[in-house]
Amino acid sequence: MAASCDSLLPLILLLCLSAQAVDRSNFKTCDQSAFCKHQRELKPGQSPYRALLDTLELSDSRLTLQLINDNNKVRLLLELYRLQGNMTRVKINELKPLKPRYEVPDVLISDPITEALSVVAQDENSLVLSLGGKDQRLIVSAQPFRLDIVEGPQVLMSLNSRGLLAFEHLRARKDTISHKISSTVGSMWDSLKSMFSSKSESEQVTGQENVEQQTDEDGQIKEEEDKPGMWEETFKSHTDSKPNGPSSISLDFSLPGVEHVYGIPEHADTLKLKNTDGSDPYRLYNLDVFQYELHNPMALYGAVPVLISHSTDRTMGIFWLNAAETWVDISSNTAGKTVFGKILDFVQVSNEVPQTDVRWISESGLIDVFIMLGPKPADVFTQYASLTGTQSFPPLSALAYHQCRWNYNDQEDVKTVDQGFDEHDIPYDFIWLDIEHADGKRYFTWDPSNFPQPKEMLQGLMDKRRKLVAIVDPHIRVDSGYKIHNEIRSKNFYVKNKDGGDYEGWCWPGNSGYPDFTNPEMRAWWASQFAYDQYEGSMENQYIWNDMNEPSVFNGPEVTMHKDALHGVWEHRDVHNLYGLYVQKATADGLILRSGGVQRPFVLTRAFFAGSQRYGAVWTGDNAAEWGHLKISIPMCLSLGLVGISFCGADVGGFFKHPSAELLVRWYQVGAYQPFFRAHAHIDTPRREPWLFGPENTALIREAIRQRYALLPYWYQLFYNTHRTGQPVMRPLWVEYPDDVATFSIEDEYLIGKDLLVHPVTDEGATGVTAYLPGKGEVWYDVHIFQKHDGDQSLYIPVTMSSIPVFQRGGSIICRKDRVRRSSSCMENDPYTLYVAPSSQGSAEGELYIDDFHTFSFEVAKQFVHRHLSFSANTLSSRNLAPDSQFSTASWIEKIVIFGGSQPSSVTLKNADGTESALEFEFGSTLAVLTLRKPGVNAAADWTVVLR
C-alpha cells in the first residue's frame, strides 16, 4: 500500500490508521464464496462424466472427444495435446456453450509446439496414447471418465481419479425460460436471442442445441437445483449481479508417490504447501491486503496458478491457465485406492504408496491445464519457461540497493538523503518516490510545491550515476482538469460498470477511474505517456513502480473491483488476476518505447500473474517490522522463483511499524542476499535511513550492503542465465539436491544459483544458527573466513550481530568486485576478483558475464562477454563461451583467491599470445588459502594460470 491519508474520504483514513493487522472480515472465506462453497460440497466419488470414445478425432498433434454428464446430458469437448519438451495439454470446454467462455490471452509467449500423438491400444472403455518413447502413455478411461499418465509401470499423475471434475455450463435463468420444451420453445428462444443479441447466428443456434441436450425423456430440463449465490451474490454491502449465472469449473489431480508440493504463490506461508483438509483452500485472487497475516492460505497481491510436485523419483508441474478467482485444495491419500478398469493392465500401484491430491476450482473460464512432466527440477523450469517466458534481464543497477520511503518530502529531502549515503560511505543506486511526489496524486505529474524542478533533481542524481523510481498507479483521478483522465475518457478506455458507464471507485486520489488494461489499444496509449515529451520532467534515469494494481478499490468488494464490471465483452471476474500483469506490461513497454527500444526497463509491480516475470520485479507487499515477517520473506520469494518470478524481494525493515535496531540490521543482512533489495517504510513510521540507528548499527548495515555490491557480478551472471534458461536465481536446496529428502522442507536457508548457500539470522537475540550443508562427498567454504566444511551435515554456527552465514560450494568459481563504490554504475569498469573453491577432487568451474549493463545490445547485437572459468590439476583457465559475440571491456582480473590447496613453489600466467610471466602470491597456511596478486589480464581475454 502506498501513499498518504490526506483525502477527506473517511474510509481511506480508516484504512490508513486503523490497522494493526489485516481485517479478515473484509475478505471472503471459501464458505463465503458461493462457487467455492458449492464446488467443495462435491465429495470424491464416481464421476458423472463419461467419455464418448466413438466421437474421437485424431490429427497429428491433437485428439478430441466428447464427454457427457450423465446427470444432465450436457456435453463437453476434451482436447489433448502432446507438447514439445515432455508436456501434455488438457483442455475441457462446453461442446456448444450458450456464449463463448473466456480463454486467457497474452500469457503464453506463443502457441506451444506440438508433437505427434498416436493410439497404441483401444477397447470399449479405454484408449491408450503414446506420449513419446516406448514407456510413456496417456490412458483415457471412458466410464467414469479419467486420465492417467504413466511411465512404464509407474502412474505419474491421474486426472479426475477422485471424480471431482465439475463444469457448470452456461444457461439461462429458470425464471426466464419454460421448464417444458414444448410449443413455448420458440418464444423462449426469442427471449434468449434478445438477451445475447451480440452473438453471431451460429452462436445462437449453438445455444439452442445446448438447451435441447439438457432434457430427459419427458422433455424436462434436468438442472442442478439452484443454490444461494448461483445467480446473484452479496458480500457485505456489495452485490454481484452474475448476469451469466453459475460458470465455475473444477478438476482434481492425483500424484502417487508425492508428499511434497510447492508453488501457487502468493501466500505468506511455508514453502511446502500444507494439507487443506479441514481448513480453507489456498486462494488465488489478487487483493490489496493490509498488513497480511502469516501462515494463512488467504489470497494476497499476486497469483501464479502453477504447482510443482517433487519426490526423489521425479519433479513435475501443473499450470492451471485461468485468470478468474481460483481455490486450490491439497490433501493426502494413499495411491491406488481409486485405480480401476484397464489401468490395472498397465500399472501396479501399492496401497502403501503416499499420494498428494490437488483440486483446482475456478469461478469462470474453461479448463486449460499444462502438465509438465520433468523429470528433473531443471526440466520443469525449462518447460514452464517455454510456455510463459523467462525472467526479464534487468539493468545491473536494478540488482543493487534501493532506498525508498512513503514519502520523501521534497527535492531537498531527496538531496539530503542522497548526500547522507555519501557522508556515511554507503553505496546505493536508486532513491524512490511514493505518490506524494505527484500533483494531487495525479500520476505522470509532479507536485509543484515540493518537486518544482524534477529534472534538476534527476540530473543531480545522474551526476552521481544514480537513479530514481517514481510511482505510477493504475487508478486515475476523475478530474476534468487532468489531461490523463480526459484522454482516457475521450478514448473510451475506462473499465465499464455493469450498466455500461465508466466504472469508478475510491483510491488514493479520491474518486478514480480504472483504465482497461486488457485492451491492447489502451496499453499502447499508456505506454506512449512515458515519452519524455508526454511525461514532463522525466529523464532517462527515472524508472517506474506500479502499486495498487490488483486493482485496489477502497470501496469495492474485498477492496477490489466488482466482478460484474466490464472489460469490453468480458466480465471482470474472467480477467481479474490478469489486470496487474497488463499494467506492468504496458509500463515496461512504455520505458522501452521512450528509449527507442534501446534501454532495458525496470518496473516493480505488486500484483502479478503467470508470465509477469517477463516485465520486471515483484515484492511481497505490505509486510510489518516483525521477526515473523522477516522469516516468511524467504519461503515467499522461494515460491515465486519456483514459478518463474526470480526478481523478488521484501520491504527491508518492514513496511508497517518501527523495527528495533537488531531487527533492522538482520533484515539488511537478509535483503542483501535476496534478488530485489529495497528498504521501504510507511509514512507514519519514524525515519530509518541506514545511519539513524547509531554508528555501530550503521557500520553493520554498511557492511551488508557492501557485500551485496561486491557480489553484483555473480547476481548479474545469474540473472543473465535465468533470462536464457528459466532456472530460478534464489532456489530451495532440493532443486540442486533432488534426492536428499532432508532438503525438501528447508525454508530458513536457500541457494543463490547453485554455488552460494545462505542461512541468514532471522531470530531475535540469536547466538547461533544450525545450517544444513547438503551433498555427500561435497565440501563448502565459509565465504568470510574461507574455512572448509564437509557436506551432508548440520553445522552449528555461532553468530554475532555482524554474522551473515554464507557458504560457497566446493567445485565453483565466483567472480566479485571488491572495490565497492557509491553506485554500481561507478563500478562497471572496475577489476574482478575470482574466488576459486575446489571440490573434494580438486576441481572447480564458473562463469563470467559482462555487457554494457543497461541496453538490449547483448541480445540484438551479441555485444557481451561470456567466459567459462575452470580449475583442474592446478591449472586455472578462462575460455570464451560466445566466440561470435563482439564486446570489449576495460575490466581486468585483479586478484585470484584459491581455497583449500597447498602452497606452490611458483605461479605462472600464460597469455593468449603465448607469453608467460610469474605472478606474486601469498599462502595462508592456517586455512590453506592461496592469493594471486595482479594477474592483470583483461576480463575478456583467454589466459591460463599454472601452479607448480
Side-chain angles (χ1 to χ4, degrees), residues 254-372:
S254 295
L255 300 162
V258 170
E259 295 182 84
H260 294 78
V261 290
Y262 311 88
I264 57 169
E266 184 179 36
H267 302 96
D269 209 347
T270 53
L271 176 64
K272 178 192 173 185
L273 297 174
K274 297 173 181 174
N275 192 313
T276 60
D277 291 341
S279 66
D280 257 15
Y282 286 96
R283 190 184 188 197
L284 296 174
Y285 191 60
N286 295 0
L287 292 172
D288 179 357
V289 182
F290 185 94
Q291 195 172 328
Y292 48 84
E293 289 182 4
L294 306 184
H295 302 293
N296 193 306
M298 68 184 296
L300 290 181
Y301 313 95
V304 183
V306 175
L307 180 139
I308 293 177
S309 69
H310 178 69
S311 68
T312 54
D313 294 330
R314 196 177 197 100
T315 308
M316 296 185 293
I318 300 171
F319 173 27
W320 178 266
L321 182 53
N322 190 296
E325 178 185 344
T326 297
W327 300 76
V328 186
D329 254 325
I330 296 168
S331 58
S332 299
N333 205 333
T334 302
K337 283 188 176 179
T338 54
V339 171
F340 60 83
K342 288 295 181 180
I343 191 173
L344 291 176
D345 295 341
F346 295 90
V347 300
Q348 294 295 321
V349 182
S350 167
N351 287 336
E352 303 305 315
V353 174
Q355 176 170 301
T356 295
D357 298 316
V358 181
R359 184 188 185 192
W360 300 78
I361 305 169
S362 291
E363 183 174 16
S364 64
L366 49 81
I367 293 172
D368 189 1
V369 60
F370 296 82
I371 299 167
M372 300 170 285

Side-chain angles (χ1 to χ4, degrees), residues 230 287 384 495 591 601 686 709:
M230 289 179 66
L287 292 172
Y384 181 62
V495 175
L591 297 190
Y709 275 74

Side-chain angles (χ1 to χ4, degrees), residues 54-123:
D54 60 349
T55 65
L56 182 148
E57 295 183 11
L58 179 64
S59 67
D60 287 343
S61 60
R62 175 176 179 257
L63 177 146
T64 66
L65 57 81
Q66 294 177 26
L67 310 178
I68 189 168
N69 184 331
D70 283 329
N71 290 341
N72 61 17
K73 307 306 178 187
V74 174
R75 295 194 181 198
L76 305 179
L77 179 67
L78 169 71
E79 299 175 69
L80 298 175
Y81 300 84
R82 176 187 167 199
L83 303 183
Q84 188 179 82
N86 203 19
M87 294 182 288
T88 299
R89 185 180 192 178
V90 179
K91 294 182 72 175
I92 303 176
N93 195 0
E94 294 184 57
L95 178 64
K96 298 177 178 180
L98 195 63
K99 60 189 298 186
R101 297 178 71 112
Y102 188 72
E103 295 192 49
V104 176
D106 301 320
V107 168
L108 302 179
I109 54 175
S110 62
D111 290 334
I113 299 173
T114 58
E115 295 186 334
L117 273 172
S118 60
V119 176
V120 296
Q122 183 175 358
D123 62 20

Side-chain angles (χ1 to χ4, degrees), residues 456-483:
E456 181 181 294
M457 174 182 64
L458 287 162
Q459 187 61 53
L461 294 169
M462 187 180 291
D463 290 343
K464 293 185 176 182
R465 304 185 73 176
R466 288 171 174 154
K467 301 170 178 65
L468 179 140
V469 170
I471 199 166
V472 176
D473 287 349
H475 49 263
I476 301 300
R477 179 168 173 164
V478 176
D479 176 356
S480 61
Y482 180 22
K483 182 190 77 167

Side-chain angles (χ1 to χ4, degrees), residues 6-153:
D6 61 357
S7 171
L8 297 179
L9 184 67
L11 176 60
I12 298 180
L13 189 62
L14 179 67
L15 283 169
C16 289
L17 299 180
S18 65
Q20 291 300 313
V22 62
D23 181 355
R24 288 293 310 280
S25 70
N26 284 329
F27 304 100
K28 291 181 181 180
T29 63
C30 180
D31 277 346
Q32 294 170 315
S33 178
F35 80 92
C36 183
K37 177 179 172 66
H38 298 160
Q39 287 276 14
R40 223 180 182 208
E41 288 171 350
L42 177 64
K43 301 303 181 184
Q46 181 148 313
S47 175
Y49 287 94
R50 173 166 50 96
L52 304 176
L53 297 184
D54 60 349
T55 65
L56 182 148
E57 295 183 11
L58 179 64
S59 67
D60 287 343
S61 60
R62 175 176 179 257
L63 177 146
T64 66
L65 57 81
Q66 294 177 26
L67 310 178
I68 189 168
N69 184 331
D70 283 329
N71 290 341
N72 61 17
K73 307 306 178 187
V74 174
R75 295 194 181 198
L76 305 179
L77 179 67
L78 169 71
E79 299 175 69
L80 298 175
Y81 300 84
R82 176 187 167 199
L83 303 183
Q84 188 179 82
N86 203 19
M87 294 182 288
T88 299
R89 185 180 192 178
V90 179
K91 294 182 72 175
I92 303 176
N93 195 0
E94 294 184 57
L95 178 64
K96 298 177 178 180
L98 195 63
K99 60 189 298 186
R101 297 178 71 112
Y102 188 72
E103 295 192 49
V104 176
D106 301 320
V107 168
L108 302 179
I109 54 175
S110 62
D111 290 334
I113 299 173
T114 58
E115 295 186 334
L117 273 172
S118 60
V119 176
V120 296
Q122 183 175 358
D123 62 20
E124 70 281 357
N125 195 52
S126 67
L127 178 69
V128 182
L129 304 170
S130 172
L131 291 179
K134 62 180 182 179
D135 292 331
Q136 205 168 87
R137 302 285 187 263
L138 174 60
I139 304 171
V140 183
S141 299
Q143 188 171 9
F145 165 67
R146 165 179 172 148
L147 297 176
D148 291 278
I149 298 176
V150 303
E151 188 170 79

